[in-house]
Amino acid sequence: MSLDPEQSLQFSPLHRLQWEEAQQKYVILYPEGMVELNHSSAEILKLCDGAHKAADIVAELEAKFQASGLENDIHQFLSAALQNGWIKHV
Amino acid sequence: MSETNPAPIHPGIGAPRWLLAELSYKCPLQCPYCSNPLDYARYPDELSTEDWKRVLTQARRMGAVQLGFSGGEPLTRPDLIELVAHARELGYYTNLITSGYGLSEEKIVALKQAGLDHIQISIQASDPVLNDYIAGATTYLEKQAVARLIKKHGYPMVLCVVIHRQNIEQMPGILAMAEELGADYLELANTQYYGWAHQNRETLLPTREQFIAAEKIAQAHKEKVAGKMKIYYVVPDYYEDRPKACMNGWGSTFLTIAPDGVALPCHSARELPGLDCPNVKDYSIEQIWRDSRAFNLFRGTAWMQEPCASCDEKHKDFGGCHCQAYLFNQDMHSTDPVCSKSPQRWKVDAAIAAAATAAQAAEQPLLFRNPKNSKQFRPSGNE
């Protein structure tokens, strides 16, 4: 499945995104497994809330971190997240 | 520090991440490769609801996040829903590892309301005759119905099929069944030969040719269903030349609590002699994890003998599996004999050859896992 810029993204109902106090990081939880996330990955996934499209996520994070040129990195991560089933198109 | 902060752990010792709660050894099935100890019938005591809640709370505070409710059959515990609710409130990702037998739609809904995240259901074969024979109970049709109900109620579902010589040639049928039932994950778990499976090894171990053919089919299917169903393929380590990194390293990640409260570094460790595992009725999880002899015994590399001690792969596989070393060499400190560097590797090859010979002959009867058969075995650790 490839990233569709026209569609909003949501976090998969078959996975859980959770802050882990003991590890001081966000993790993705799924049947018998866990992925530890770095800060930027977690920021992207938190915006996969069913209301944001890829471009909205880029705009919001560029504003939040006062940065530019994040589009490629964010698109790359979202494509991988779709492949892994962590997020889906609404 | 606030109360939500993790308990401090001694330097060099990580925190448990995976807690396996074996709620009961009771089970309506009799699978001849069960991972419970051979003499499980000698341990009928079960922790109380309050004991379990305390264990869950203490382990979560240390950083455990994946929680498996297992057994035996966890559905035999009348307080299962209460324990799931408690675990979910603590922030665990809760997995129910069940035969599916006796799981009503009403209970599936109640467990969902309590916060259960995922159900793993086992099916023994892709046809009813073999399924019911291996399970030692008429369960095939009910399991199929339960699998559909699990998906109907929105759970992620893992379908677990334990693979052995009796069902390995059904691989195409097993793959088709998993797709048809809508499994999100298919775990093709080649039998690991401990306990009951070890007793039945000559009848269960596939030949090398069978294993290669089945793996080829499964790997090809993996690509075909990518994006729809994930296939986990657990290799049979007898056919490898390096041991598995058992439990991701002893006392590093996994913590099992047996039905009677005995804390184990691995669910098979009860069969190791003299391990003297502590009980959660006597100690806190933190004391057990950090201070007990049993959990410290194989941490690090100081315990290793040759060829492990001077091996440049020792940080990769941690010397392999201690239960396997014990079963083959009667020495749990020795190198896992699966390793081609082990001077005892010939014993694994002999077991493979014996199973191949047995495969040519009339099949031997299986020793089924039930209380009557269990009582013929002496208590663990006294062998």
Side-chain angles (χ1 to χ4, degrees), chain A residues 1 13-16 18-24 27-34 36 83-86, chain B residues 4-6 17-18 60 63 65-66 88 91-93 95 117-118 120 155-156 158 184-185 187 230 232:
Chain A
M1 195 183 300
L14 300 182
H15 295 70
R16 177 149 36 110
Q18 177 168 301
W19 172 255
E20 276 298 284
E21 191 66 30
Q23 301 177 58
Q24 290 292 307
V27 298
I28 297 172
L29 297 164
Y30 53 95
E32 297 170 40
M34 174 172 75
E36 299 175 15
Q83 291 288 334
N84 285 318
W86 301 338
Chain B
T4 53
N5 274 327
R17 294 277 178 256
W18 232 116
R60 178 69 184 138
V65 60
Q66 282 282 350
R88 188 64 180 79
Y92 280 106
Y93 188 89
N95 305 274
D117 288 294
H118 147 238
Q120 180 195 117
Y155 288 96
V158 175
D184 300 289
Y185 304 80
E187 184 173 329
K230 283 203 174 111
Y232 293 140

Side-chain angles (χ1 to χ4, degrees), chain B residues 44-63:
Chain B
D45 290 351
E46 292 185 7
L47 291 179
S48 69
T49 307
E50 291 316 306
D51 285 335
W52 275 119
K53 285 186 175 174
R54 185 185 70 248
V55 165
L56 298 180
T57 302
Q58 289 175 347
R60 178 69 184 138
R61 203 177 289 148
M62 289 179 72

